[in-house]
Amino acid sequence: FNGGDVQGYCYELEAPVSSNPVSFNVLNWTELNAMQQERASLLADLYNDWYFEVLTTGDVDMATALAFLTNEIMEENYDLIPGTFFLTDIQAQSSTTTGAVQFSDFDAGVQAFYDVMLAELDFGTEAMLDGLVFYESAEGNWQDVVSYVPAPSAMALLGLAGLAGRRRRNS
């Protein structure tokens, strides 16, 4: 991304990965279609609750669970009553074993985090949605990625956590 790093989660698993530069369109939630906006609302809440904890703790099980649920939310063909998008239906139909992507051979800790994340899932607010950034392959044949840009207050907290960690290491 123009020589910079972006931390995010892919949600287009059927597309190839490339180590070569690939052009992406950067989108916010208002540029998505109606179904994608509903799914983005779930991601906004999920990321508001977990994204920065994953970044600050570096917990691999937590990060894996976040990636699993990101893929499930964006890829699952939910069997919903036409015109509805009920949270309880989403939660009941989301699974690491029977969902859009069946995952296997992962630690029990991943499943525990996945279960907690799914149980706490809700629809995000517009302020949370404003923090989501979608990177869509310009050619349409590479992985699409979502990342979360923190509000200034969250950035300040991350900065304080980083300073505290640095101070401990230097002591």
Side-chain angles (χ1 to χ4, degrees), residues 59-62 64-65 68 96 104-116:
D59 188 300
V60 174
D61 287 349
M62 188 187 309
T64 303
F68 284 2
T96 56
S104 62
D105 297 327
F106 55 87
D107 295 339
V110 173
Q111 186 66 55
F113 276 119
Y114 183 94
D115 293 341
V116 170

Side-chain angles (χ1 to χ4, degrees), residues 83-145:
T84 67
F85 202 77
F86 294 124
L87 181 60
T88 52
D89 291 338
I90 301 301
Q91 289 168 316
Q93 295 177 46
S94 296
S95 169
T96 56
T97 57
T98 61
V101 182
Q102 288 84 52
F103 302 100
S104 62
D105 297 327
F106 55 87
D107 295 339
V110 173
Q111 186 66 55
F113 276 119
Y114 183 94
D115 293 341
V116 170
M117 290 175 185
L118 184 59
E120 294 178 354
L121 192 62
D122 203 349
F123 293 104
T125 65
E126 191 167 314
M128 290 176 196
L129 279 160
D130 286 342
L132 287 178
V133 179
F134 295 87
Y135 303 92
E136 177 184 76
S137 170
E139 292 109 24
N141 54 351
W142 302 105
Q143 288 187 324
D144 294 338
V145 176

Side-chain angles (χ1 to χ4, degrees), residues 30-48:
T30 61
E31 297 170 283
L32 305 175
N33 67 38
M35 178 59 81
Q36 290 171 326
Q37 285 183 6
E38 290 173 331
R39 292 170 188 261
S41 176
L42 295 170
L43 284 186
D45 177 73
L46 177 68
Y47 281 34
N48 186 67

